[in-house]
Amino acid sequence: MRNQEIASIFYEIADLLEIKGELPFKVRAYRRAAQRIETLDGDIEDIYSEGKLREIPGIGEALAKKIGEIIETGRLEYLERLKKEVPEGVVRLMSIPGLGPRKTAVLYKKLGIKNIEELKKAAEQGKLRDLDGFGVITEKNILRGIEMLERSRDRVLLSMAFEDGSHLVDYLKGNRDVLNISIAGSLRRMKETIGDIDILVSSLKPEGIMDFFVKYQDVYQILVKGSTKTSVILRDGLQVDLRVVKPESFGAALQYFTGSKEHNIQIRNLAIKKGFKVNEYGVFEKDTEKYVAGKHEEEVYKAIGLQYIEPELRENRGEIELAQKNKLPRLIGYNEIKGDFHIHSNWSDGSASVEEIARFGEKLGYEFVGIADHSASLKVAYGLSEEKVMKKIKEIRRVQERFDIRILVGTECDIKPDGTMDYRDSVLKEFDFVYAAIHTRFKMSRREMTERIVKALENEYVNFLAHPTGRLIGRRDAYEVDVEKIIDAAKENNVFLEINAFPDRLDLNDVHAKMAKDKGVGMVIGTDAHSLDHLRFMRYGIAVARRGWLEKKDVLNTCSLNEIERTLLR
DNA sequence: GCCGTTTTCGGCCCGACTGTTTTCAGTCG
């Protein structure tokens, strides 16, 4: 699977061409192709060997040839040549806010600046202000941009942005002039990581709202402040953009600012074909400029002949084509989960007792909670020995008598390096359900790791595979594993793949979840909760499921207790 | 560099904000 590698090369070429001052459309062609390849369902090497590269939208003759060269030789002559013309550090200059390709090119050509260090020095010495298109303020802003870059983190986890965004929306609702309000941007699409928070408001008095916004207690710095757009940095480093539009444009603006960029470009192109113009103020007839729609987002899609597209689907992965045919999946809803299987109790490394978990589950309106503590060999997480776990099962059966909510007793049982399970079958058969999971020896070869997991899935007592790729967002890459083979093995053995909802896992991710769905594999969303609070992470797992086009029927824990008992209990 | 129920050549999404300019280019989303 070299999709990401090839996408990265194309992104790099796009940056280099941009600095060189190449045609913007050529630059865009490379970016579009990179984005396509990045989100491809299949393995690009397979597509190449089948001779079907040209069938990928955005891949023409020239790019197909380049992909072939990369696959065959492991390198790309064209990229090597570009890199000789523009040193590596110059590309990175563009990550400084306010520096785009044009100014970066001037810095390189006129002053020979090749990296951020040199740029900082030149700015401090006042050498930038006399360049064409630069001034004293630009110079100052560049210094501030460098400082921000050094201080700022990359993208943050969805959960953090979701919390910040929810609080801000509550705060803004306190202003009487706010008529309508919504989160927009990648946060509304519920991407796994978020770069900044976009909030959209409709109002007839924007200025007062902007003043109110910048007075929010967590605002650390104001970046820009206008009557329609204001951007701030919060104390935790996250940027927030607030846009204010008139009520008749709220739907169009929400559509526009929710993105993704690629989705919107397709929407606009489609609109043009049908004789309309779409912008953030509404849908207009192209010839007469007559306003057709814009107050509600649904109208915008309807006006250009499309079924409404849920925000989580708006990644230009084929959703527009399906919306034209009225064939979009009916996504699993945020309120359709009837229970959580992946909960750790204080029998192992969780903080809550089984009673507390049961009570909290009732509060959430669940029909069942599943206790899945670690198995014996995972000593760091107080994994339970076989004797202790038998005792636990008995005790929980007694706790059950005091509750209406069903307490299912399971385990998150380790898969040992040789693919056998950490508990003997005679123990496994005592549980209501069994999660298999990898927590050790992450650095096996791809083949060994795949075989190890497949062997575990073949165990007749294994129901679920927990966090199938083991990645920790921003901290640890997925282990080397053939996800497609895992999906096939899950199908073969009737095992459900987990979408782990813990914020830094979200594993399976959206792309793999869709792959599993397309192959007819069932999935289960588990929070991996280690405290009662964590049970609320369920929404992030549902978000991944929705981004993976999953419907209610694809997710086991949308089923009633009766159906689940029929499926699982032997 | 891609692409075609208006085109195999001539298009390619669109507007706000800033800083530089004195009517607009660059950047951003």
Side-chain angles (χ1 to χ4, degrees):
Chain A
M1 197 80 145
R2 296 168 70 180
N3 300 21
Q4 191 56 54
E5 180 198 342
I6 291 168
S8 300
I9 289 175
F10 284 178
Y11 279 128
E12 194 176 353
I13 290 174
D15 287 342
L16 290 164
L17 291 177
E18 209 167 25
I19 292 172
K20 277 188 60 184
E22 265 283 5
L23 225 53
F25 303 110
K26 190 166 166 179
V27 173
R28 189 181 304 165
Y30 275 97
R31 295 229 166 93
R32 265 172 46 107
Q35 200 244 353
R36 274 288 174 181
I37 295 167
E38 210 170 24
T39 58
L40 219 51
D41 276 342
D43 188 331
I44 193 151
E45 284 181 275
D46 295 343
I47 299 172
Y48 168 69
S49 51
E50 288 162 17
K52 290 184 174 168
L53 284 178
R54 296 288 302 274
E55 289 176 23
I56 303 171
I59 308 284
E61 195 185 338
L63 290 185
K65 200 160 153 251
K66 291 192 171 71
I67 293 170
E69 187 184 333
I70 297 168
I71 291 175
E72 295 295 344
T73 70
R75 51 199 290 279
L76 185 62
E77 182 63 36
Y78 182 55
L79 175 65
E80 314 276 329
R81 228 168 43 229
L82 284 174
K83 274 168 115 168
K84 277 191 197 127
E85 290 178 54
V86 185
E88 228 181 312
V90 177
V91 177
R92 273 201 303 277
L93 294 181
M94 284 204 295
S95 58
I96 298 165
L99 268 192
R102 287 322 226 296
K103 286 200 162 68
T104 301
V106 171
L107 289 171
Y108 175 54
K109 282 180 193 147
K110 299 282 179 186
L111 295 182
I113 289 172
K114 294 188 293 295
N115 55 52
I116 295 181
E117 282 285 280
E118 291 174 11
L119 177 61
K120 193 171 176 182
K121 202 183 277 174
E124 280 165 353
Q125 293 168 351
K127 287 183 180 166
L128 307 187
R129 59 186 67 176
D130 298 326
L131 293 169
D132 269 355
F134 288 65
V136 178
I137 298 176
T138 315
E139 193 173 81
K140 210 177 75 200
N141 283 346
I142 286 175
L143 277 174
R144 210 177 68 175
I146 293 174
E147 191 205 332
M148 252 166 63
L149 193 70
E150 285 168 347
R151 197 167 50 83
S152 84
R153 44 187 117 206
D154 290 339
R155 302 173 67 84
V156 303
L157 294 178
L158 169 65
S159 56
M160 174 176 159
F162 190 91
E163 298 269 321
D164 277 2
S166 308
H167 291 145
L168 247 170
V169 167
D170 286 344
Y171 169 77
L172 289 169
K173 278 181 180 165
N175 185 303
R176 286 188 311 168
D177 294 327
V178 170
L179 299 175
N180 213 336
I181 182 165
S182 173
I183 296 279
S186 57
L187 180 53
R188 182 157 181 252
R189 303 200 312 278
M190 298 292 268
K191 271 191 76 164
E192 61 192 31
T193 59
I194 304 292
D196 58 24
I197 298 176
D198 293 292
I199 300 178
L200 181 71
V201 160
S202 68
S203 176
L204 298 169
K205 297 182 184 169
E207 281 84 4
I209 290 174
M210 294 310 192
D211 292 338
F212 185 70
F213 173 52
V214 299
K215 281 191 204 129
Y216 181 61
Q217 55 175 359
D218 286 341
V219 168
Y220 170 74
Q221 188 185 1
I222 301 168
L223 297 176
V224 297
K225 184 162 172 278
S227 63
T228 67
K229 176 186 169 177
T230 294
S231 297
V232 303
I233 305 271
L234 299 181
R235 287 182 205 286
D236 60 15
L238 253 179
Q239 180 173 332
V240 185
D241 296 341
L242 176 67
R243 322 260 178 167
V244 182
V245 297
K246 295 202 177 79
E248 65 264 30
S249 297
F250 185 76
L254 186 55
Q255 195 286 322
Y256 177 71
F257 290 119
T258 296
S260 64
K261 195 173 164 186
E262 293 299 322
H263 173 89
N264 283 355
I265 289 173
Q266 290 309 309
I267 290 289
R268 287 182 181 203
N269 282 332
L270 185 65
I272 290 169
K273 274 188 206 153
K274 302 207 170 192
F276 297 109
K277 184 180 82 168
V278 177
N279 60 27
E280 59 258 56
Y281 300 109
V283 181
F284 302 89
E285 280 179 8
K286 201 159 57 174
D287 307 329
T288 62
E289 297 274 310
K290 190 177 154 237
Y291 172 96
V292 181
K295 194 163 196 292
H296 302 291
E297 201 179 34
E298 289 82 357
E299 295 171 6
V300 174
Y301 284 98
K302 199 172 167 195
I304 55 176
L306 293 179
Q307 184 183 3
Y308 176 71
I309 302 175
E310 298 280 0
E312 292 92 335
L313 294 180
R314 301 182 196 170
E315 300 289 348
N316 194 28
R317 293 177 187 163
E319 72 279 7
I320 294 173
E321 289 80 352
L322 284 192
Q324 282 180 291
K325 299 181 209 149
N326 214 21
K327 281 189 175 159
L328 284 174
R330 191 187 166 84
L331 298 186
I332 174 177
Y334 282 98
N335 294 317
E336 291 185 313
I337 294 293
K338 302 223 167 77
D340 187 348
F341 287 105
H342 199 154
I343 305 169
H344 293 270
S345 75
N346 58 8
W347 278 89
S348 69
D349 59 347
S351 63
S353 68
V354 172
E355 288 87 345
E356 288 169 324
I357 292 167
R359 228 173 289 134
F360 202 81
E362 286 182 336
K363 204 170 123 193
L364 292 174
Y366 283 167
E367 291 184 18
F368 64 90
V369 285
I371 311 295
D373 283 309
H374 291 291
S375 61
S377 72
L378 202 63
K379 299 267 192 301
V380 288
Y382 309 105
L384 299 170
S385 67
E386 293 192 343
E387 299 75 48
K388 207 164 170 198
V389 84
M390 296 306 282
K391 188 173 149 219
K392 168 187 155 181
I393 293 173
K394 277 197 197 111
E395 285 208 22
I396 293 181
R397 302 285 185 223
R398 274 203 294 278
V399 173
Q400 176 70 75
E401 291 166 16
R402 308 202 300 272
F403 284 93
D404 290 334
I405 188 170
R406 178 68 194 272
I407 306 168
L408 298 169
V409 192
T411 175
E412 183 181 7
C413 182
D414 260 57
I415 303 171
K416 293 197 278 193
D418 65 359
T420 60
M421 301 296 289
D422 195 20
Y423 289 133
R424 285 172 296 161
D425 285 357
S426 59
V427 176
L428 289 179
K429 76 178 172 50
E430 296 300 319
F431 293 104
D432 296 326
F433 65 91
V434 173
Y435 262 112
I438 300 272
H439 292 109
T440 56
R441 291 284 308 276
F442 297 114
K443 296 216 178 296
M444 297 174 108
S445 76
R446 181 181 166 93
R447 191 179 53 81
E448 283 176 322
M449 185 60 95
T450 305
E451 282 173 7
R452 175 183 180 188
I453 295 173
V454 168
K455 188 168 174 194
L457 300 189
E458 287 167 352
N459 181 303
E460 63 173 311
Y461 298 106
V462 170
N463 306 106
F464 310 140
L465 177 63
H467 40 72
T469 77
R471 64 120 174 226
L472 296 175
I473 298 173
R475 288 196 288 142
R476 184 175 77 204
D477 284 338
Y479 32 71
E480 289 290 329
V481 67
D482 188 335
V483 177
E484 244 181 302
K485 275 214 177 102
I486 300 298
I487 291 172
D488 290 337
K491 170 89 182 158
E492 189 85 1
N493 295 289
N494 253 327
V495 171
F496 293 78
L497 295 179
E498 180 180 60
I499 294 174
N500 190 293
F502 210 84
D504 66 357
R505 286 194 184 269
L506 303 183
D507 173 13
L508 298 175
N509 67 19
D510 49 1
V511 173
H512 287 143
K514 181 162 187 292
M515 198 186 282
K517 174 201 165 93
D518 290 342
K519 286 178 178 261
V521 173
M523 274 160 277
V524 57
I525 306 175
T527 60
D528 212 342
H530 286 68
S531 70
L532 294 180
D533 263 0
H534 292 170
L535 285 162
R536 299 192 193 277
F537 291 157
M538 187 58 81
R539 66 162 77 93
Y540 305 121
I542 299 169
V544 173
R546 288 168 61 88
R547 290 180 55 83
W549 299 41
L550 267 56
E551 303 177 86
K552 182 172 187 276
K553 65 176 169 55
D554 299 315
V555 177
L556 179 69
N557 43 331
T558 60
C559 293
S560 69
L561 189 58
N562 281 339
E563 294 169 290
I564 282 173
E565 285 182 330
R566 272 205 304 278
T567 308
L568 290 184
L569 305 188
R570 293 168 291 264

